[in-house]
Amino acid sequence: MQRRQFITRACGLVAAGAASFASPLASPLLAQEIDVEAILRDPAAPISGNPKGDVTIVAFLDYNCPFCKKAEPDLERAVKEDGRVRLVYKDWPILTEASVYGAQMALAAGFQGGYGKVHRALMAIPGRRIGEAQMLEAIRASGIDLARLDADLKTHAGDISALLRRNHAQAQSLGLQGTPAYLIGPFRTSALDYAGFKEAIAEARRRQAAE
């Protein structure tokens, strides 16, 4: 793995130790600052993989983040092949105004069951400063019902904004510095490749079994 980090046990998400996985955060987090249940099980957050999986991955992502895009195929492959991983998406648009637009469109697509379709379309656009026009072109090509998406974007604007605010507050409470950021069972990491995701999932499962 690369750029690996632990979250301290104080936050209630991970275990200490296992130096082979990561180095501790420079500043420990306080348990009362982090709503673990909200991070893991916000009912409005899109999920994929196995809803009843024994390991949960929480992915904080931005559609203008090149590292998110590079890691995305490996993450999806690892989750699909494992079959026992629950993947929670946290849209955290922090890089550009267009990032906010992309997140809003993906979340609005969720109301017609199309979050994953739009998410993959946006993640497949190469580059790091993708504008709204290019995003809309990719969304249109995904086959989503654009009229329905536009209507849901307007109808559910308040819910979408509230979810994005919650995601941002959760990222801040965790001390995240940027995207991508992944919580994999008891571990926190940034960009990984396929082998890295598999290793982290396996280690998370071993750690949970030992507790």
Side-chain angles (χ1 to χ4, degrees):
M1 292 185 198
Q2 297 177 355
R3 301 171 62 196
R4 295 164 291 191
Q5 289 184 312
F6 274 126
I7 304 174
T8 61
R9 179 175 286 279
C11 74
L13 289 175
V14 302
S20 62
F21 254 73
S23 58
L25 291 176
S27 56
L29 302 172
L30 301 178
Q32 63 267 27
E33 294 177 345
I34 299 174
D35 187 340
V36 175
E37 189 66 17
I39 292 172
L40 296 178
R41 304 194 180 278
D42 188 324
I47 66 170
S48 70
N50 185 340
K52 298 182 179 180
D54 60 344
V55 170
T56 293
I57 297 178
V58 180
F60 287 84
L61 305 168
D62 184 304
Y63 292 118
N64 264 313
C65 167
F67 302 107
C68 300
K69 295 176 183 182
K70 183 177 180 180
E72 180 73 9
D74 288 335
L75 172 62
E76 294 286 345
R77 177 186 170 195
V79 169
K80 183 177 181 179
E81 290 183 0
D82 183 279
R84 293 185 293 150
V85 174
R86 175 176 173 268
L87 176 57
V88 181
Y89 296 102
K90 297 286 185 177
D91 287 274
W92 188 30
I94 56 174
L95 296 177
T96 71
E97 289 186 13
S99 297
V100 177
Y101 171 82
Q104 290 171 333
M105 295 292 273
L107 293 171
F111 292 97
Q112 60 176 285
Y115 175 87
K117 185 181 291 186
V118 170
H119 172 83
R120 288 188 291 273
L122 293 176
M123 280 293 179
I125 304 173
R128 65 175 63 227
R129 296 193 67 84
I130 307 305
E132 293 182 14
Q134 194 171 355
M135 288 184 177
L136 181 58
E137 182 180 349
I139 293 168
R140 182 180 291 111
S142 75
I144 203 77
D145 183 336
L146 279 179
R148 167 75 186 277
L149 188 152
D150 184 61
D152 284 332
L153 186 62
K154 295 174 182 175
T155 301
H156 301 285
D159 294 330
I160 292 169
S161 294
L163 177 57
L164 292 176
R165 287 195 298 270
R166 290 198 301 276
N167 290 349
H168 181 66
Q170 291 163 13
Q172 287 189 316
S173 75
L174 291 165
L176 302 185
Q177 300 298 309
T179 56
Y182 305 100
L183 311 182
I184 304 178
F187 305 114
R188 179 179 118 182
T189 184
S190 52
L192 295 176
D193 58 13
Y194 170 71
F197 281 119
K198 283 181 64 69
E199 180 186 351
I201 292 166
E203 182 63 22
R205 193 166 279 139
R206 285 192 293 268
R207 183 60 60 88
Q208 290 172 178
E211 291 182 349

